[in-house]
Amino acid sequence: MISSLEDLKKLAQKKNCSDGACKEELRVCIGSSCLALGSDQLQKDLKSEIKNKDLKDKCKVKGVGCNGLCANGTLVSHYNTVLKEETLYEKVTNDDINDLVKSVKNNKKLKSKMCDMTQPFFTKQFKIVLENAGYIDPNDIEDYIAHKGYEPFFNALENMTPTEVLEEVKISGLRGRGGGGFPTGLKWETVSKVQREQKYIICNGDEGDPGAFMDRAVMEADPHRIIEGMALAGYACGASQGYIYVRAEYPIAIEKLQKAIKQAKKLGILGDNIANSNFGFNIDIRLGGGAFVCGEATALVTSIEGNRGNPRQKPPHLSDYGLWSEPTILNNVETFANIAPIIRNGGDWYKGIGTQNSSGTKVFALTGHIQNSGLVEVPMGIKLDELIYEIGGGIPDGKKLKAIQTGGPSGGCIPKHLLDLEVDYDSLKKVGSIMGSGGLIVIDESSNMVEIARFFMDFCKSESCGKCTPCRVGTSQLTNLLDKFINREASNEDFELLKELCEVVQTTSLCGLGQTAPNPILSTIQYFEEEYLAGIKKDGEDS
């Protein structure tokens, strides 16, 4: 049991000394993308071969989370703990095991599999949320502690008041990373002021946007970071119970979180009277059935309560009337993953990263027609051009860029002539898109933008809960109209009706799903109107 910050530091020192006995580590990615390529078996076979070659005392094999370059999996990092040198190997298979073990034995690098870590994909990132991904074993709480994990939490319990913790979050300027971008400190402050015996902290790990996998990767790679962030939120706001709402389609993330919570409880990091204080905090997991609408705050809360995940009208807001009618804070995975570094380094440190109104970093899932598909973390304010062509490696197969889609079904399509745009909340909103949770889909010249809009509209139609007529009927009618343009059966009247119906759905829908569903259509009309006009049937033209 850990009862003080001093105990925590002693355990970290003990773990570091124990790990230091092995001068080298082979870190095998066991994130979902690499597991799909068989990295679990690769890890087992590597361990076996290291043992057979009598190298156990020299080299340790461990599983780690995704380091981001998903396109080149399976990834294996060879780390020298003495020299602090890392060599990353890409596209490693079981056929490479013998050569890899020989390279360890002979103190040589396996050049045929080496990944260039001087490329912009690595050098232009700034990792806060993902700082442990690819380095620590997500199944080992002591590995997290050895990397200064839980120190901010225990330091807060012993040396900071709840108000001081809250103040650092406010100073940081952290905005909610789930899509809305609401100031996190303001949300927490509102709940902290409510005088109620029971309050709740909820982490939204539902992540339903097509092409998005940021939260999944964080939950799989660094589950204790989320737990620590939630515990700090509980301390700052006077809440004693937390829930992590995870979509059931994320079995690996669920497994990692369950194990992490069990380990934290065993060491006394979760439970009653943590670190001999008057503060107690517990976390439970609730599984979502895969309904996209349950990513909306009120629908998510309703789902945790055991009811159908339908949104409700606001106000009242969750800060007054949340889970089981009690004050509730709801943030997403990435938001909570930022909290421990903010408390460790101070709000001013975090505020100094990014832009004036969008501080810190943002994690993006780069997908679509992009060379380096995977996960990246960059400072707010980075330009799209740098993100796509330098970090992302550009468009494959000699194709040209056409657009970038951000914000998932709620976002918009940004044309290539706006590549000089800075990526932050305000800049994206000005051009008709949103930050969203961090999905970024690159679209090349071979794509039809009306078909892109229809894909997202069909998704929204399928995921509508059906509670309000504008969303239930409007998304269906918008999909039908888009079909007419794709089939070159539309009329000029249909074009005007399409724009009018988008406005109706936006302004009259109950929740964020319906209110933002027309965004992909409106942005593609704004920047690619000619593709809609090409779908209008000319006089005398056959159907």
Side-chain angles (χ1 to χ4, degrees):
M1 295 286 288
I2 298 173
S3 57
S4 67
L5 179 59
E6 184 180 353
D7 287 346
L8 191 78
K9 290 181 176 180
K10 285 180 180 178
L11 180 57
Q13 185 179 16
K14 181 181 177 182
K15 175 67 174 177
N16 282 321
C17 289
S18 173
D19 285 351
C22 279
K23 295 180 179 179
E24 298 174 62
E25 288 182 348
L26 285 174
R27 300 166 174 171
V28 183
C29 173
I30 53 171
S32 287
S33 57
C34 286
L35 279 176
L37 297 169
S39 65
D40 51 347
Q41 189 61 48
L42 176 66
Q43 182 188 359
K44 291 177 183 177
D45 292 345
L46 258 178
K47 278 186 178 180
S48 178
E49 188 64 15
I50 287 288
K51 182 179 179 180
N52 291 340
K53 298 299 182 184
D54 200 25
L55 295 171
K56 278 183 65 179
D57 294 334
K58 179 181 181 181
C59 184
K60 175 183 178 181
V61 178
K62 72 176 185 180
V64 295
C66 175
N67 84 342
L69 194 56
C70 304
N72 290 10
T74 297
L75 300 167
V76 177
S77 170
H78 183 188
Y79 184 71
N80 188 306
T81 61
V82 178
L83 300 176
K84 308 297 182 185
E85 288 183 352
E86 180 183 15
T87 304
L88 183 64
Y89 298 117
E90 59 186 4
K91 299 182 180 179
V92 179
T93 68
N94 279 53
D95 294 337
D96 301 310
I97 289 177
N98 288 334
D99 290 336
L100 198 54
V101 173
K102 282 181 183 178
S103 73
V104 173
K105 184 176 182 179
N106 299 327
N107 297 314
K108 294 183 178 180
K109 295 179 180 179
L110 184 58
K111 293 185 178 180
S112 62
K113 290 289 177 176
M114 280 178 60
C115 178
D116 180 14
M117 296 192 72
T118 65
Q119 61 179 296
F121 181 87
F122 296 104
T123 60
K124 286 187 172 289
Q125 291 195 52
F126 191 106
K127 294 192 176 183
I128 298 175
V129 172
L130 301 176
E131 64 181 345
N132 290 331
Y135 294 95
I136 69 168
D137 181 353
N139 295 310
D140 184 0
I141 188 173
E142 292 187 8
D143 205 5
Y144 179 71
I145 291 172
H147 286 75
K148 299 187 179 299
Y150 290 116
E151 277 192 23
F153 177 44
F154 274 73
N155 182 58
L157 290 179
E158 294 186 11
N159 302 309
M160 300 174 71
T161 66
T163 302
E164 287 173 333
V165 173
L166 179 58
E167 190 62 25
E168 291 299 330
V169 176
K170 287 174 60 181
I171 291 171
S172 74
L174 174 66
R175 296 173 66 169
R177 298 300 196 244
F182 190 80
T184 303
L186 180 59
K187 180 184 287 189
W188 289 18
E189 184 177 46
T190 304
V191 172
S192 71
K193 290 179 178 178
V194 179
Q195 299 300 312
R196 207 81 65 81
E197 184 176 343
Q198 183 65 62
K199 299 176 184 179
Y200 295 103
I201 307 294
I202 299 177
C203 176
N204 181 358
D206 195 49
E207 191 172 54
D209 289 2
F213 51 91
M214 305 77 56
D215 291 349
R216 185 197 73 194
V218 175
M219 290 186 284
E220 292 178 357
D222 203 4
H224 288 284
R225 173 64 70 82
I226 302 160
I227 293 171
E228 185 171 11
M230 293 178 68
L232 282 162
Y235 179 64
C237 304
S240 59
Q241 177 65 46
Y243 291 96
I244 306 177
Y245 188 86
V246 191
R247 58 192 303 109
E249 296 94 331
Y250 282 178
I252 299 167
I254 293 166
E255 176 193 344
K256 299 289 185 269
L257 287 166
Q258 287 174 334
K259 186 173 292 186
I261 291 170
K262 185 177 180 180
Q263 291 172 341
K265 287 181 177 178
K266 186 176 180 179
L267 289 181
I269 294 171
L270 291 177
D272 299 327
N273 305 115
I274 303 168
N276 294 321
S277 70
N278 294 324
F279 176 68
F281 192 74
N282 283 289
I283 295 176
D284 292 309
I285 295 175
R286 291 292 183 267
L287 304 185
F292 178 68
V293 73
C294 284
E296 194 275 338
T298 60
L300 188 152
V301 164
T302 304
S303 178
I304 291 180
E305 292 172 343
N307 301 312
R308 178 184 172 92
N310 282 350
R312 62 167 170 77
Q313 189 69 47
K314 291 184 288 186
H317 295 282
L318 296 188
S319 55
D320 297 312
Y321 188 86
L323 185 62
W324 289 301
S325 307
E326 302 293 351
T328 300
I329 287 172
L330 191 151
N331 288 120
N332 85 324
V333 167
E334 187 180 341
T335 308
F336 282 118
N338 274 293
I339 300 302
I342 289 172
I343 302 305
R344 182 200 308 142
N345 300 307
D348 285 325
W349 163 80
Y350 193 84
K351 184 69 175 176
I353 304 164
T355 67
Q356 184 175 357
N357 295 321
S358 298
S359 58
T361 61
K362 183 71 191 80
V363 180
F364 287 101
L366 292 181
T367 57
H369 303 127
I370 189 78
Q371 190 69 40
N372 297 331
S373 61
L375 209 64
V376 300
E377 183 174 2
V378 293
M380 288 282 196
I382 190 172
K383 292 189 176 180
L384 276 173
D385 182 79
E386 189 176 353
L387 188 56
I388 300 302
Y389 283 100
E390 295 187 43
I391 296 174
I395 318 301
D397 304 322
K399 297 285 182 66
K400 294 180 180 179
L401 175 70
K402 187 170 189 178
I404 302 105
Q405 203 277 343
T406 68
S410 305
C413 295
I414 304 167
K416 64 179 181 180
H417 74 262
L418 292 177
L419 274 177
D420 199 43
L421 184 75
E422 290 186 348
V423 181
D424 59 52
Y425 288 99
D426 300 328
S427 298
L428 290 176
K429 187 176 181 180
K430 285 179 182 177
V431 298
S433 191
I434 61 171
M435 181 75 71
S437 58
L440 195 153
I441 302 173
V442 181
I443 303 166
D444 73 17
E445 59 187 340
S446 66
S447 302
N448 180 291
M449 300 310 295
V450 183
E451 292 178 0
I452 296 289
R454 191 206 181 281
F455 168 81
F456 286 108
M457 185 52 60
D458 186 60
F459 178 87
C460 291
K461 180 188 75 172
S462 300
E463 294 295 337
S464 172
C465 74
K467 183 175 181 178
C468 72
T469 302
C471 180
R472 181 183 70 248
V473 178
T475 54
S476 180
Q477 292 303 315
L478 284 169
T479 304
N480 293 339
L481 279 170
L482 289 172
D483 281 336
K484 294 179 74 172
F485 284 92
I486 291 169
N487 296 325
R488 295 180 61 84
E489 297 173 349
S491 64
N492 290 313
E493 290 75 15
D494 289 328
F495 190 44
E496 296 306 315
L497 178 60
L498 182 69
K499 291 185 284 187
E500 182 181 350
L501 188 53
C502 280
E503 184 179 349
V504 170
V505 174
Q506 267 190 330
T507 55
T508 60
S509 292
L510 172 64
C511 81
L513 191 154
Q515 291 164 9
T516 60
N519 283 355
I521 297 178
L522 292 172
S523 64
T524 49
I525 288 177
Q526 180 180 357
Y527 299 116
F528 303 96
E529 182 178 355
E530 70 279 1
E531 298 194 25
Y532 284 88
L533 298 179
I536 295 176
K537 180 181 175 183
K538 305 296 188 295
D539 291 337
E541 188 176 33
D542 292 334
S543 299

